[in-house]
Amino acid sequence: MSGIQTMGQKNLMFFSGRAYPELAEEVAKNLGVEITPTALRDFANGEIYVRYLESVRGCDAFIIQSHTAPINKWIMEQLIMVDALKRASAKRVTVIMPFFGYARQDKKGRGREPITARLMADLFKQAGADRLMSIDLHTSQIQGFFDGPVDHLFAMPILIDYLRDKVDPATTTIVSPDTGRVRLAERWSDSLRTPVAFIHKRRDLDVANQVKVNEVVGKVRGRTCVLIDDMIDTGGSICKAADALYDHGATNVVVAATHAVFSEPAVDRLKNSRISEVVVTNTLPIPEAARFDKLTVLSIAPLIARAITEVFTDGSVTSLFEGDS
């Protein structure tokens, strides 16, 4: 027999950038592995240096980085980490971005605008990523921007498990904050067996983060409303939506969202709003200064760890969502 034969054993290695080490450590604990030692530092002019302190040749590499503020720095660091892995002969590189930076720029709303979400996918592909993994993308079409497998994970089961014991389906309505989230609201409704409502709103195209709530469509009077969204940025949209629900007779409003971006002045708006509880996941770091009494943070780490295990063992990521894909 010609050639060389080896005992083919796969080797999973887990890496983390500096944006959110606490989440990486929690995922590693759920996986039962150690985070691979990595030298990460900044030069005086802001350039980022990366070097792995162990051999990565032939490994199945998973790099986690949360795209939090300063978002451009952490995206660049993850790109450099991917490049370093490829140049060090890693066999496969899976990029884990719990929050996909620039996901809201997924289409051209007007002329002379970029499609930055597509640019992000191209950058990671060019750097050497073989696979992407993210949670609750702003729109599902982003999966098609990357030329390779994309694992689109859903936080909905985690959020629903928490709220199931908190609300009575007989007096609860799931509310989409706009028409774009109606399909997601229907999935929530199917799980909790509740009616669906949505809010018709118009966004000011010339002013970022500014919306005008128009009207509520659906049954909300005298009911607890669970207002769902993929992210809370400045909190303006979600607080106006909650006010609209109360104005239409809702007795209680709970907000459930995956990504707690919490740009200023989100925390003050949410604290001072009539919202009774804000439930989010820890896809992004939430410092102590941004936490408040009405905030509940659920861990996404077990979901990420299970998805990594399924990818590494060539299992089914879709099975994590009981048929949702």
Side-chain angles (χ1 to χ4, degrees):
M1 180 182 292
S2 62
I4 299 174
Q5 287 187 330
T6 60
M7 296 298 292
Q9 291 188 344
K10 298 168 71 176
N11 177 29
L12 186 155
M13 298 185 77
F14 185 59
F15 305 85
S16 171
R18 294 173 292 172
Y20 192 6
E22 295 84 2
L23 177 60
E25 289 165 6
E26 193 177 348
V27 173
K29 184 177 179 180
N30 277 270
L31 276 172
V33 302
E34 298 289 333
I35 299 173
T36 304
T38 309
L40 292 161
R41 62 176 183 266
D42 299 333
F43 289 111
N45 68 345
E47 292 178 5
I48 298 168
Y49 172 82
V50 173
R51 182 176 182 269
Y52 300 111
L53 304 181
E54 294 180 5
S55 172
V56 300
R57 184 177 299 274
C59 78
D60 202 345
F62 294 82
I63 310 174
I64 190 168
Q65 180 84 299
S66 289
H67 296 171
T68 185
I71 188 168
N72 297 320
K73 175 178 179 177
W74 301 133
I75 290 171
M76 191 66 194
E77 180 175 270
Q78 195 173 26
L79 286 165
I80 295 171
M81 293 178 74
V82 172
D83 184 75
L85 279 169
K86 276 299 183 181
R87 294 179 188 280
S89 300
K91 184 176 182 180
R92 180 172 66 169
V93 178
T94 299
V95 170
I96 305 168
M97 44 181 85
F99 173 72
F100 190 111
Y102 290 94
R104 283 173 287 187
Q105 298 184 44
D106 62 328
K107 60 184 178 296
K108 290 182 67 170
R110 294 182 296 176
R112 302 182 298 280
E113 287 184 343
I115 305 178
T116 320
R118 170 59 192 265
L119 174 62
M120 280 277 294
D122 288 345
L123 286 170
F124 278 100
K125 186 65 178 180
Q126 188 62 37
D130 299 294
R131 190 182 195 106
L132 299 186
M133 185 181 294
S134 192
I135 300 168
D136 283 346
L137 293 168
H138 189 61
T139 54
S140 294
Q141 71 194 45
I142 293 173
Q143 296 173 86
F145 293 171
F146 183 75
D147 187 14
V150 177
D151 299 306
H152 185 195
L153 310 183
F154 300 98
M156 185 183 76
I158 297 170
L159 295 166
I160 285 179
D161 283 347
Y162 172 79
L163 290 171
R164 199 181 300 276
D165 298 328
K166 294 270 186 175
V167 298
D168 178 5
T171 58
T172 299
T173 297
I174 302 299
V175 183
S176 168
D178 53 45
T179 55
R181 294 279 173 265
V182 170
R183 178 65 187 119
L184 178 61
E186 289 173 346
R187 290 180 182 176
W188 276 71
S189 172
D190 291 341
S191 294
L192 291 174
R193 300 186 182 280
T194 62
V196 175
F198 73 91
I199 296 173
H200 178 66
K201 69 181 183 182
R202 291 180 60 84
R203 186 174 294 276
D204 190 336
L205 295 177
D206 295 315
V207 183
N209 304 112
Q210 292 292 322
V211 298
K212 300 175 182 178
V213 173
N214 285 349
E215 61 183 89
V216 176
V217 180
K219 185 179 178 182
V220 301
R221 184 170 297 279
R223 302 178 68 83
T224 294
C225 292
V226 179
L227 188 57
I228 62 169
D229 211 344
D230 64 320
M231 72 176 77
I232 302 174
D233 190 355
T234 62
S237 298
I238 212 75
C239 288
K240 285 185 178 180
D243 287 339
L245 291 172
Y246 278 116
D247 292 343
H248 282 74
T251 57
N252 191 28
V253 176
V254 176
V255 170
T258 304
H259 309 296
V261 181
F262 286 1
S263 304
E264 289 294 334
V267 174
D268 287 337
R269 281 175 171 168
L270 294 168
K271 278 169 42 176
N272 298 321
S273 71
R274 291 188 281 173
I275 297 168
S276 60
E277 185 176 12
V278 179
V279 186
V280 298
T281 72
N282 62 342
T283 57
L284 293 166
I286 306 173
E288 284 301 318
R291 295 181 182 245
F292 48 96
D293 291 341
K294 294 191 287 187
L295 180 68
T296 299
V297 183
L298 307 178
S299 178
I300 208 77
L303 172 63
I304 296 174
R306 288 172 60 199
I308 290 172
T309 300
E310 293 295 338
V311 170
F312 178 65
T313 60
D314 297 323
S316 172
V317 176
T318 304
S319 67
L320 300 178
F321 312 108
E322 300 177 339
D324 270 335
S325 61

